Amino acid sequence: MASIAASSEADWNAMRLREKELAAVKINAADVDIIANELELDKKVAERTLREHKGDAVAAIRHLLH
């Protein structure tokens, strides 16, 4: 039981750390708008994908199209 709790806590901490890292990535608001409008996505999805690709719009679009 203790190992399950420890594993769950470790997963939670890793998720929080990942969210902090993504929040620190600088992105261009125009890139978010273009991706959201052209691919007909929610802006949150476009922003998240752009952050996951370190602000590289081309890589984010490629990821979304595959």
Side-chain angles (χ1 to χ4, degrees):
M1 248 352 222
S3 66
I4 293 172
S7 175
S8 177
E9 186 175 337
D11 289 345
W12 175 252
N13 288 336
M15 187 173 61
R16 284 192 315 175
L17 179 62
R18 176 72 174 149
E19 291 300 321
K20 278 179 104 174
E21 290 172 354
L22 290 176
V25 174
K26 301 220 186 263
I27 57 171
N28 188 343
D31 289 343
V32 174
D33 289 337
I34 289 170
I35 292 170
N37 290 333
E38 293 299 320
L39 299 179
E40 298 178 355
L41 297 171
D42 184 58
K43 284 190 177 189
K44 288 182 180 182
V45 173
E47 181 179 338
R48 172 86 181 195
T49 305
L50 196 55
R51 287 186 187 279
E52 288 173 346
H53 290 87
K54 297 178 177 51
D56 184 351
V58 174
I61 292 170
R62 283 186 179 150
H63 173 79
L64 290 165
L65 292 175
H66 285 104

